[in-house]
Structure formats: C-alpha cells, structure tokens
C-alpha cells in the first residue's frame, strides 16, 4: 500500500481513502507502483505536430504548468516525453483521446491512441520516447491518457523488454445499463470482467500469471448511474479512483469526492455517480517483495539500483537508433506498430487512417 494518508473506520467496502494530487502520480497498491492521469486541452496544431500557441511563458524542457489547460512536459517542439530509460517494471499506457508516437532502443516504433493501450515490459532495460503529436491543424487536439506502472517480480525484472499493442478494436467495451436503465460502459483493459476478457498482456508480466488477479477496468457512468463492481478474493488488493474531471460518488456507504481514491475490500460494491464521469479500478494480488525505486528504475535492492545506473551509463540499454530524442511519425501516419523484429502490428482491419 503506497501513500494512503487518511485512515478512518471502514465504511462497508471502502477501507481507506486519500486525495489525488492535481498533477503527478496517484497513490497505488501492490502490485501497482504508479498511476498518472494526463488531461490536456491542446489547441490546434502548427503543422509541425506542435501547438499553434505562444510558448514564451513556459519552462520549455520541463513544463508541467497546465497553462491554458495543457503542458509541454519535457518536449520542446512536440508535447510529451522524449528519450528516457526504464528498468524493472511495466508501463500500461491507456489512451482515451489523442495520439502517442512511440520509439524505443530496440528499434520499435508505434503510433497509437483513441482507445488503444500499449503494454510495455521494460524489464532488463529500455529507452523509449512518448510524444503527443498534434495532428489536427484546423481543430483542437485534446489528449487524455492514464499511464499505469505495474511492478515485476524479482525473477522477471531482467527479462527481455517487450510490448504488446491492445488495439481499441480488440479491447472489450461492455455496455451494461444499471437497474434504472442508465448507461454504464466498462472498458476492460486487464482481467476478466464477467464473460469478457481483453487481449493477453506481455508474457513476462505479473498479469500474465494464473491467479495474479490483475484488473484494469475503466467505467463511464451517466449522471446518477450505478456500477456494480463484482467481488474478488480476499488476497487481491484493489483501489477505486475518481479522477478530478469525474464526479463525486457514493461507494458502498461512503461518500467520495472527485479527486479521491478509495482502497476497497474484496466485497462487491455499488458505485453511484452524482453527475457522471469515469471511475478507474486497479486490482491485483500483491507481489509482496521489497521495492527499491530511484526515478525510472524499480528493483528489489539498492545494489540493483546502482547496477541499473551503471548499465545505463555504460550502454544506454542497447543504444538509441534514432536521429532525434523525440521521434515522430509525421502528420499523416495512421495507427500502427512495428516491433523490434520488424513485425508490423496493425489494428484489426489494417493500419487505421487518421
């Protein structure tokens, strides 16, 4: 359990709560390490995949200002996160709106978004770039994504890096009106939900193990709608998030504001949204191993962290095969992925145009 600061008497299924920071990572529970919600109302593009806007008031290279509703992050031309390393865990990037241009030290590339999910096992070490191309020049370019960090057990931390694309067309989206007929839509990114199972995660993922209980469910509730979250086993930890742009909700017997996370028991729970919005549930059986983390490296000991830095300084996790630290795929490319072995990975039906 990480950073749950406000402890109270349990009220039904809500065991503990914490406030979500306005920006930056949210509290999580083992096996999760990190969750962040990016919601940027980017303006129309400038024809070079950047914003058609004045950047002079921003700290370019490290802009988390949310000025005018958006940030450049570490990008200087295109918003996003240029070349940076990871080791020892996984990133699950779940894009609701907008696009992400991926490039990595294995030589793999991708453009994905608009409901797609990239599940990347950094494991023994990878560098990658995640840029947010603003392809629309005649309209705004809103971006919304969740990035979730999932830990790896010790025996998998040095596995070969690998990613899977969970294209939107393959991810179950379950329409299940509540008892009053109000719409509830559940997107199943990980873990079986009723009879619905998403595409498999990468093979070395904790989520790929039988009995891991890893679930990533995102529900969109109409105003006043109720979502019935099924019970799980007692050894699965799970947390329910109400993003800042969502709604206050009744969760069991508890009243939770938007911008709140609740640690849930294993019981079934009903969530009723006051004015409608998204509800995220992350769950899984804890790995239960020591966690040593320094920035982008997550291992089991400080010695392993020092080794990660030494390996990165010595070889950059295989080197960087791209001319720029912030590669992009141009204004016209559709959604696609090319893996390190040059295999083309397409959305069902072929490379999808923009």
């Amino acid at each position: 359990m990480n950073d749950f600061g406000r402890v109270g008497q349990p009220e039904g299924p809500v065991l503990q709560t914490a406030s979500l920071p306005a920006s930056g990572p949210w509290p999580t529970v083992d096996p999760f390490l990190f969750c962040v919600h990016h919601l940027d109302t980017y303006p129309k593009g400038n024809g070079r995949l950047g914003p058609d806007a004045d950047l002079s008031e921003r700290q370019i290279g490290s802009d988390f200002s949310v000025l005018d509703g958006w940030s450049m992050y570490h990008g200087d031309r295109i918003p996003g996160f240029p070349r940076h390393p990871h080791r020892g865990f996984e990133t699950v990037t779940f894009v609701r709106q907008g696009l992400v241009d991926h490039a990595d030290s294995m030589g793999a590339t991708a453009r994905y978004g608009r409901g797609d999910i990239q599940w990347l096992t950094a494991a023994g070490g990878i560098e990658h770039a995640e840029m947010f191309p603003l392809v629309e020049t005649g309209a705004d370019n809103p971006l919304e994504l969740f990035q979730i960090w999932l830990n790896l057990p010790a025996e998998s931390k040095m596995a070969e890096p690998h990613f899977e694309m969970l294209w939107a067309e393959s991810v179950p989206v379950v329409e299940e009106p509540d008892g009053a007929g109000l719409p509830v839509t559940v997107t199943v990114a990980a873990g079986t939900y009723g009879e619905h199972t998403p595409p498999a995660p990468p093979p070395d993922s904790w989520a790929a193990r039988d009995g891991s209980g890893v679930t990533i469910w995102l529900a969109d509730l109409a105003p006043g709608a109720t979502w019935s979250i099924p019970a799980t086993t007692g050894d699965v930890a799970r947390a329910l998030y109400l993003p800042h742009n969502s709604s206050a909700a009744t969760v069991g017997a508890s009243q939770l504001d938007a911008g709140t996370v609740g640690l849930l028991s294993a019981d079934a729970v009903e969530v009723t949204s006051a004015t409608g919005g998204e509800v995220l549930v992350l769950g899984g059986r804890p790995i239960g191993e020591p966690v040593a983390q320094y920035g982008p490296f997550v291992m089991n000991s400080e010695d392993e962290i020092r080794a990660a830095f030494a390996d990165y300084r010595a070889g950059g996790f295989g080197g960087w095969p791209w001319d720029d630290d912030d590669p992009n795929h141009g204004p016209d490319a559709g959604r696609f992925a090319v893996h390190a072995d040059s295999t083309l990975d397409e959305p069902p039906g072929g490379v999808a145009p923009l």
Side-chain angles (χ1 to χ4, degrees):
M1 181 171 61
N2 300 323
D3 302 326
F4 277 85
R6 192 163 75 243
V7 182
Q9 291 300 113
E11 293 186 78
V14 178
L15 305 179
Q16 227 170 316
T17 64
S19 296
L20 300 177
S23 62
W26 294 348
T28 55
V29 292
D30 186 1
F32 297 94
L33 298 163
F34 173 108
C35 179
V36 68
H37 182 216
H38 291 293
L39 181 61
D40 291 279
T41 55
Y42 289 117
K44 65 181 181 179
N46 60 10
R48 301 180 299 279
L49 305 184
D52 184 14
D54 179 14
L55 302 181
S56 63
E57 298 299 316
R58 297 174 183 270
Q59 186 175 333
I60 295 301
S62 185
D63 171 38
F64 291 76
S65 65
V66 201
L67 179 65
D68 298 325
W70 53 274
S71 300
M72 289 293 289
Y73 302 106
H74 296 309
D76 56 10
R77 302 175 300 138
I78 303 169
F81 296 86
R83 175 183 180 183
H84 58 281
H86 293 303
R87 172 179 277 184
F89 63 99
E90 300 184 282
T91 63
V92 182
T93 307
F94 185 174
V95 187
R96 304 292 285 160
Q97 301 180 77
L99 296 166
V100 177
D101 277 355
H102 166 93
D104 66 41
S105 54
M106 299 185 296
T109 62
R111 170 169 284 178
Y112 63 97
R114 303 176 180 178
D116 299 327
I117 300 166
Q118 186 198 61
W119 195 313
L120 183 146
T121 305
I126 194 172
E127 286 189 281
H128 72 158
E130 301 162 289
M131 308 309 298
F132 307 147
L134 308 185
V135 297
E136 300 291 345
T137 57
D140 290 344
N141 289 270
L143 173 88
E144 182 187 8
L145 65 82
F146 296 91
Q147 186 167 90
I148 300 157
W149 290 12
L150 178 63
N151 202 8
L152 287 166
E155 65 191 72
S156 300
K157 283 189 177 293
M158 295 300 289
E160 286 293 318
H162 179 82
F163 72 80
E164 296 286 346
M165 292 306 309
L166 283 59
W167 300 112
E169 294 86 346
S170 301
V171 174
V173 178
V174 184
E175 306 281 351
E176 50 175 27
D178 70 5
L182 296 173
V184 177
T185 302
V186 183
T187 302
V188 186
T192 298
Y193 182 82
E195 299 179 352
H196 304 276
T197 301
D204 289 299
S205 176
W206 180 245
R209 300 194 179 200
D210 290 341
S212 72
V214 172
T215 55
I216 302 173
W217 299 337
L218 183 66
D220 192 357
L221 280 66
T226 297
W227 178 32
S228 298
I229 304 174
T232 186
T233 58
D235 54 351
V236 168
R238 57 183 183 169
L240 177 148
Y241 299 85
L242 300 175
H244 290 279
N245 66 323
S246 186
S247 166
T250 302
V251 184
S254 302
Q255 301 294 320
L256 273 61
D257 294 330
T260 301
V261 56
L263 183 66
L264 299 182
S265 72
D267 300 330
V269 57
E270 290 195 341
V271 180
T272 301
S273 178
T275 58
E278 294 179 331
V279 179
L280 176 68
V281 172
L282 303 180
R285 184 164 290 107
I287 295 173
E289 296 176 350
V291 174
Q293 180 173 358
Y294 194 98
F297 305 140
V298 182
M299 304 301 289
N300 297 107
S301 71
E302 295 300 324
D303 285 346
E304 291 172 334
I305 293 291
R306 285 189 284 271
F309 273 100
D311 290 347
Y312 177 59
R313 287 192 294 265
F317 297 154
W320 186 251
W322 312 105
D323 293 335
D324 302 308
D325 287 345
D326 57 352
N328 68 80
H329 305 311
D332 301 319
R335 295 154 50 230
F336 75 96
V338 177
H339 291 263
D341 63 359
S342 299
T343 300
L344 177 64
D345 186 356
E346 304 176 346
V351 175
L354 298 178

